[in-house]
Amino acid sequence: MTWQTSYQRWNDFDLLEKELRDKLTEIQSDEQSLEDAFYKNLEFGTGGMRGKLGPGTNRMNIYTIRRAAEGLARYIEKRGEAWKQNGIVIAYDNRHMSQEFAVETAKVLGNHGIKTYVFTSLRPTPVLSYAVRYLYTAGGIVITASHNPPEYNGFKVYNEDGGQLPPAEAGAVIEMVNQIENELEVEAADQAELEAEGLLEWIDEKVDEAYLKELRSVNLNPHITHDAGDDFQVVFTPLHGTANVLVRKGLEQAGFENIHVVAEQAEADPEFSTVASPNPEEHQAFEMAIAQGKEVGADILIGTDPDADRLGVAVPDANGEYQVLTGNQLGALMLDYLLSQHLDLPDNGIMIKTIVTSEFGRTIASYYNIETLDTLTGFKFIGEKVREYERTGEHEFLFGYEESYGFLAKDFARDKDAVQAAVLATELALFWKTKGKTLLQALDTLYQRHGYYMEDLQSIKLDGKQGAEKIQAIMDTFREEKLTEAGGLKVLAVEDYEKSRRQKIDTGEEEEITLPAANVLKFVLEDDCWFCLRPSGTEPKIKFYYGVKSSSKEESQQRLVRLKNAVEEYLPQ
């Protein structure tokens, strides 16, 4: 089917929702915009679905939402009547159309006799993960586009364990979604009738209260807040998202009293009007928090992304200027704190990280005789392993994290949890303050002990159909180019996760990679250095990850620059 055929099908649909009809009329003479909106179905992948809002099969709208919900409904029906009765819990963030999409999803599921629990107002993603387990539902859905720009929204699916769908389960749902040929014909039940029949139930603070009780377990040294927390100052920004209430309550119940919320960013705002990007990975997102931090003499600044599954932290340096920690740095500090303060580390304890996360964490875990497991990028793979180890008893989960500011300390949630991380990071900063150190000084202590690990990330955004083709061309170039060195560092091995093979450069010997197939390339270099290429699964980007190590800060900085320059030379123009 051509994009013109798909467009005509929409244009001829008499019942097309008015706002979508108006927007379709606006672009009817713009062939490039029409092609991009209709040249494919918005992909429902292993992470669910994410895209720009607007009319078209390649956009987020009530019809593509209904298509996704219909596919999930058929999947649940196939699992049996008990799954239908257990139902699905649905949460949503502050983005444009989030609540409407949540209700549309409930109406499609209800049309199949599947019960839904829908939050009365916006909630963080980790609360959705917890709610699945708390309510014993067959799964969950959160309507969110995380830290994407305002014109995006998304649809993310969770299994009965509260984790994002792993590949096998996602594949079964994807198969059902792909069987639906016409999203305009998906039937949705009447909301009022579903409410009357008990197939749509609204839920509110009951889940929050249970979650907050579990959150108490994150505090390792609750006494230090009582003993030394009186003059400890915290500045918090939810970046216009969902975390405002629960992060403040979590900190307050942990004993922190001096919590200063950035007022301009406390209210939910789908336009994220005070930031260029609502992403705590980026320094600009902390500008207002930094200004307020200087006013109150804050010991720590914490910021969460819109759906509150990522946490960023900034702390003062020796000159009183605030420095934003990287996800790798914050993860290393959290990991060391958790392991050092654990009274009786289990013999089978394990830390889980992703393949693009710093090797710093592995070295720290090894220092405490704790094993490290690598997974593919995406917290769903960490959540999947937590569930597996809970079932088998093979390992005891101690901590999971990824470089993109996702952390999980306690497994009552099965996805990255910025509410947990905010409480842990704040206690961590207070702990080191009682030792006379800032988090930057604590980090330097770890570097002196383990070596100077440094990382960087470069993202290249390439929109639309042509962008997708360019991204694939870049991956093809690096697959075909037989690199033997990069930035003066010898290439020891190439790991091609699409082929599930690891090839040693000196001997040509190949080993199997026992992880799910993914379009990822990783080049393992000498001296614990590496770089990795990965097309984003949620944005029109290709990401380049870099990691280096040496015995000094200066040498690591130089290695990082040389490595990045060498890799950029191979990029097709």
Side-chain angles (χ1 to χ4, degrees):
M1 184 181 295
T2 65
W3 71 260
Q4 292 93 337
T5 304
S6 295
Y7 161 65
Q8 199 60 50
R9 176 165 56 85
W10 272 58
N11 201 39
D12 292 344
F13 185 54
D14 292 335
L15 299 178
L16 193 68
E17 193 264 340
K18 183 182 183 305
E19 186 175 351
L20 292 175
R21 169 67 68 190
D22 292 342
K23 290 181 179 179
L24 194 62
T25 301
E26 287 177 15
I27 63 170
Q28 65 182 356
S29 59
D30 184 345
E31 186 168 307
Q32 185 174 346
S33 294
L34 286 175
E35 180 180 7
D36 192 50
F38 287 97
Y39 83 94
K40 66 174 183 176
N41 286 326
L42 186 61
E43 183 178 354
F44 191 100
T46 56
M49 184 172 72
R50 191 180 298 185
K52 292 181 179 180
L53 293 160
T57 58
N58 189 34
R59 294 288 184 264
M60 289 289 297
N61 50 65
I62 63 169
Y63 304 107
T64 53
I65 282 286
R66 286 176 180 174
R67 180 174 183 265
E70 177 70 16
L72 179 62
R74 295 181 186 183
Y75 169 77
I76 293 170
E77 283 184 323
K78 201 170 182 180
R79 298 295 294 264
E81 190 62 33
W83 273 55
K84 291 174 61 176
Q85 292 177 5
N86 289 345
I88 295 290
V89 57
I90 305 173
Y92 53 91
D93 68 7
N94 55 297
R95 288 179 176 273
H96 293 294
M97 298 296 295
S98 282
Q99 186 176 40
E100 291 88 343
F101 288 166
V103 172
E104 286 299 323
T105 300
K107 288 160 62 176
V108 172
L109 294 172
N111 191 58
H112 289 262
I114 299 168
K115 181 177 177 66
T116 57
Y117 302 85
V118 184
F119 281 98
T120 55
S121 58
L122 52 81
R123 287 299 189 284
T125 287
V127 173
L128 181 280
S129 174
Y130 175 74
V132 170
R133 297 166 58 77
Y134 179 74
L135 296 170
Y136 298 101
T137 61
I141 296 165
V142 61
I143 307 297
T144 180
S146 188
H147 57 282
N148 278 56
E151 63 269 22
Y152 281 79
N153 212 327
F155 180 101
K156 191 157 57 173
V157 183
Y158 288 75
N159 63 16
E160 74 276 15
D161 189 56
Q164 294 181 50
L165 292 182
E169 294 176 52
V173 175
I174 291 167
E175 183 180 353
M176 295 295 181
V177 173
N178 289 341
Q179 289 176 5
I180 301 162
E181 295 182 356
N182 191 344
E183 63 286 336
L184 301 175
E185 295 178 350
V186 174
E187 295 183 8
D190 179 76
Q191 178 181 338
E193 291 180 4
L194 292 176
E195 291 170 343
E197 294 170 13
L199 284 174
L200 196 169
E201 182 177 332
W202 295 94
I203 55 175
D204 46 33
E205 286 84 5
K206 181 181 179 181
V207 176
D208 300 347
E209 292 168 1
Y211 174 89
L212 285 166
K213 286 182 181 179
E214 294 279 9
L215 190 62
R216 294 181 184 274
S217 65
V218 173
N219 296 109
L220 298 181
N221 292 304
H223 65 277
I224 65 171
T225 311
H226 179 270
D227 296 341
D230 288 349
D231 64 343
F232 191 81
Q233 306 292 327
V234 181
V235 168
F236 165 52
T237 173
L239 295 177
H240 302 294
T242 61
N244 188 16
V245 173
L246 281 176
V247 166
R248 285 192 292 106
K249 285 185 176 180
L251 290 173
E252 287 165 1
Q253 76 175 13
F256 293 99
E257 298 178 356
N258 305 311
I259 305 165
H260 310 271
V261 180
V262 179
E264 298 92 336
Q265 298 173 335
E267 294 302 318
D269 174 9
E271 287 297 318
F272 309 109
S273 53
T274 67
V275 290
S277 170
N279 187 352
E281 296 180 55
E282 299 177 13
H283 189 278
Q284 58 81 27
F286 275 95
E287 287 179 358
M288 285 189 168
I290 288 172
Q292 190 162 338
K294 289 181 177 180
E295 288 179 9
V296 302
D299 296 284
I300 187 172
L301 316 179
I302 56 177
T304 52
D305 70 340
D307 68 322
D309 61 357
R310 298 170 192 247
L311 177 83
V313 164
V315 290
D317 63 16
N319 299 316
E321 297 298 323
Y322 287 93
Q323 302 295 319
V324 179
L325 297 174
T326 70
N328 284 312
Q329 291 170 336
L330 182 55
L333 285 163
M334 286 180 171
L335 175 63
D336 180 76
Y337 179 64
L338 287 167
L339 298 183
S340 69
Q341 300 303 301
H342 203 296
L343 296 178
D344 186 21
L345 284 171
D347 293 336
N348 66 340
I350 196 163
M351 184 275 287
I352 309 176
K353 71 176 189 67
T354 71
I355 59 173
V356 297
T357 300
S358 173
E359 291 299 294
F360 198 11
R362 187 190 310 278
T363 301
I364 291 170
S366 179
Y367 179 81
Y368 293 99
N369 297 313
I370 295 298
E371 186 178 341
T372 295
L373 176 77
D374 284 321
T375 70
L376 288 178
T377 306
F379 220 89
K380 59 179 172 286
F381 297 109
I382 295 177
E384 183 182 25
K385 282 297 180 181
V386 173
R387 182 185 191 184
E388 176 187 325
Y389 294 146
E390 181 183 59
R391 185 176 64 250
T392 65
E394 179 184 355
H395 290 291
E396 182 175 330
F397 171 75
L398 298 176
F399 188 60
Y401 77 113
E402 57 186 3
E403 53 76 36
S404 56
Y405 292 71
F407 313 97
L408 184 65
K410 295 293 182 180
D411 63 3
F412 56 84
R414 295 297 165 89
D415 200 357
K416 52 185 177 285
D417 187 341
V419 184
Q420 281 192 37
V423 173
L424 177 60
T426 306
E427 181 183 300
L428 166 69
L430 175 57
F431 171 84
W432 280 109
K433 184 178 181 180
T434 64
K435 306 297 182 184
K437 293 183 177 181
T438 67
L439 285 187
L440 289 175
Q441 292 168 328
L443 183 63
D444 198 54
T445 299
L446 294 183
Y447 284 144
Q448 291 173 29
R449 177 188 295 166
H450 301 295
Y452 284 82
Y453 288 84
M454 290 189 182
E455 298 77 31
D456 204 354
L457 168 64
Q458 178 188 13
S459 294
I460 300 176
K461 187 176 182 181
L462 296 164
D463 285 312
K465 182 180 179 182
Q466 291 181 342
E469 292 169 352
K470 288 179 181 177
I471 288 172
Q472 188 55 49
I474 292 171
M475 295 299 295
D476 292 342
T477 296
F478 278 88
R479 279 196 170 92
E480 294 164 5
E481 191 73 41
K482 304 299 182 182
L483 293 180
T484 57
E485 71 89 28
L489 295 164
K490 183 180 178 182
V491 179
L492 301 181
V494 179
E495 297 174 348
D496 190 335
Y497 289 84
E498 190 169 68
K499 298 177 181 178
S500 298
R501 308 301 294 176
R502 183 181 196 271
Q503 184 180 45
K504 295 180 179 179
I505 298 302
D506 55 352
T507 64
E509 179 185 352
E510 290 192 351
E511 302 171 351
E512 183 181 3
I513 296 174
T514 56
L515 291 174
N519 188 17
V520 179
L521 279 173
K522 186 172 183 178
F523 293 80
V524 181
L525 313 175
E526 62 183 326
D527 295 342
D528 288 337
C529 302
W530 56 275
F531 73 93
C532 182
L533 294 73
R534 184 182 75 88
S536 172
T538 57
E539 301 172 85
K541 293 180 179 179
I542 181 168
K543 297 184 177 182
F544 292 78
Y545 303 83
Y546 302 92
V548 299
K549 176 198 173 186
S550 77
S551 59
S552 74
K553 180 178 180 180
E554 293 73 20
E555 175 59 22
S556 290
Q557 289 173 334
Q558 292 168 10
R559 279 188 166 181
L560 194 56
V561 170
R562 290 196 298 265
L563 180 57
K564 288 177 64 178
N565 289 341
V567 171
E568 288 173 8
E569 289 178 4
Y570 287 96
L571 293 180
Q573 301 303 314

